[in-house]
Amino acid sequence: QSALTQPPSASGSPGQSVTISCTGTSSDVGSYNYVSWYQQYPGKAPKLMIYDVSKRPSGVPDRFSGSKSGNTASLTVSGLQAEDEAHYYCSSYAGSNNVVFGGGTKLTVL
Amino acid sequence: QVQLQESGPGLVKPSQTLSLTCTVSGGSISSATYYWSWIRQPAGKGLEWIGHIYTSGSTNYNPSLKSRVTISVDTSKNQFSLKLSSVTAADTAVYYCARAGAAFPYCSSTTCWGEGKNKWFDPWGQGTLVTVSS
């Protein structure tokens, strides 16, 4: 199994919206609605931000939203805030009891 | 709420076996709809799923690590463990344990069976750095 493809970096100004893509294949992202997104600050453990493509856990701001089209999932952060600057990782069920992560995207708030 | 905590040696010699334990508190490791997972992250790099175990002892591993990985569970202690054999410098990483929500095709009131599809990881332990060096 190969890692999901994410852009290494993304950026936006406070108040703007940014979308991070996560491209897989028809064997993972394209086949299952089990895409999740994680936020990670330096030196900290990842935190679940989105699951089942577009669902938000309790406590996650509604500025974070997820979607999927074909083999590509996306995370959109609206109304960017300084605290959103972090690494973001996507993950997908990949069939046959396998799980795959994306390489991660560093989001910078300008 | 459920919390996870990794423990184990921070330094392992090349060719030896890395051993870590994850202690679960605030919830039961025997809960029906979860897998208990290990994930690692080399410095400055992305996340890699190592594998997971169900309360019954059923395991699944990343194909790229399968020949070297063993995950076990001790329900009496609410713990699960990772063993990674024949380690090299490439295995140096922060190792996380995490609870994984899963969708099973069949569930009773106390257990599930069939191919469980891993849906998400939450919560995560704080992570523990393991360095492979002589």
Side-chain angles (χ1 to χ4, degrees):
Chain A
Q1 68 210 41
S2 299
L4 305 175
T5 301
Q6 297 182 235
S9 62
S11 62
S13 299
Q16 289 187 331
S17 293
V18 171
T19 297
I20 299 171
S21 62
C22 170
T23 300
T25 69
S26 57
S27 297
D28 38 61
V29 175
S31 286
Y32 305 98
N33 289 323
Y34 296 135
V35 176
S36 51
W37 290 89
Y38 303 87
Q39 177 190 64
Q40 186 180 37
Y41 293 116
K44 299 295 186 182
K47 174 188 174 184
L48 178 66
M49 303 299 284
I50 295 288
Y51 68 99
D52 293 358
V53 176
S54 60
K55 298 177 181 177
R56 273 180 292 104
S58 174
V60 173
D62 59 7
R63 302 185 292 102
F64 291 85
S65 62
S67 63
K68 189 185 87 167
S69 178
N71 297 337
T72 298
S74 298
L75 172 71
T76 298
V77 185
S78 305
L80 268 177
Q81 298 182 4
E83 67 205 51
D84 299 331
E85 184 162 299
H87 277 90
Y88 292 85
Y89 294 90
C90 61
S91 177
S92 175
Y93 181 67
S96 301
N97 291 300
N98 289 325
V99 178
V100 64
F101 282 97
T105 298
K106 173 69 165 69
L107 174 60
T108 300
V109 180
L110 301 171
Chain B
Q1 74 276 20
V2 174
Q3 293 183 308
L4 292 83
Q5 177 70 57
E6 306 89 351
S7 60
L11 181 64
V12 181
K13 289 182 167 53
S15 80
Q16 294 192 341
T17 296
L18 177 161
S19 296
L20 295 174
T21 295
C22 182
T23 300
V24 180
S25 59
S28 173
I29 205 168
S30 298
S31 298
T33 57
Y34 301 118
Y35 284 127
W36 302 92
S37 310
W38 288 98
I39 297 155
R40 70 180 183 179
Q41 184 175 36
K45 296 189 178 181
L47 300 165
E48 180 179 34
W49 177 71
I50 299 171
H52 62 218
I53 190 164
Y54 188 62
T55 180
S56 64
S58 172
T59 54
N60 295 105
Y61 303 131
N62 185 322
S64 67
L65 297 170
K66 188 174 183 177
S67 63
R68 299 194 292 132
V69 174
T70 302
I71 298 176
S72 59
V73 64
D74 186 336
T75 55
S76 67
K77 295 182 178 179
N78 230 30
Q79 295 176 333
F80 63 106
S81 299
L82 168 70
K83 290 189 185 298
L84 180 65
S85 64
S86 305
V87 297
T88 69
D91 295 310
T92 295
V94 174
Y95 285 75
Y96 295 100
C97 58
R99 183 182 67 174
F104 289 90
Y106 313 106
C107 287
S108 68
S109 59
T110 58
T111 190
C112 296
W113 62 99
E115 180 184 326
K117 296 176 177 60
N118 197 112
K119 303 203 304 175
W120 43 258
F121 298 100
D122 181 68
W124 298 56
Q126 65 183 27
T128 187
L129 174 63
V130 179
T131 301
V132 178
S133 175
S134 56

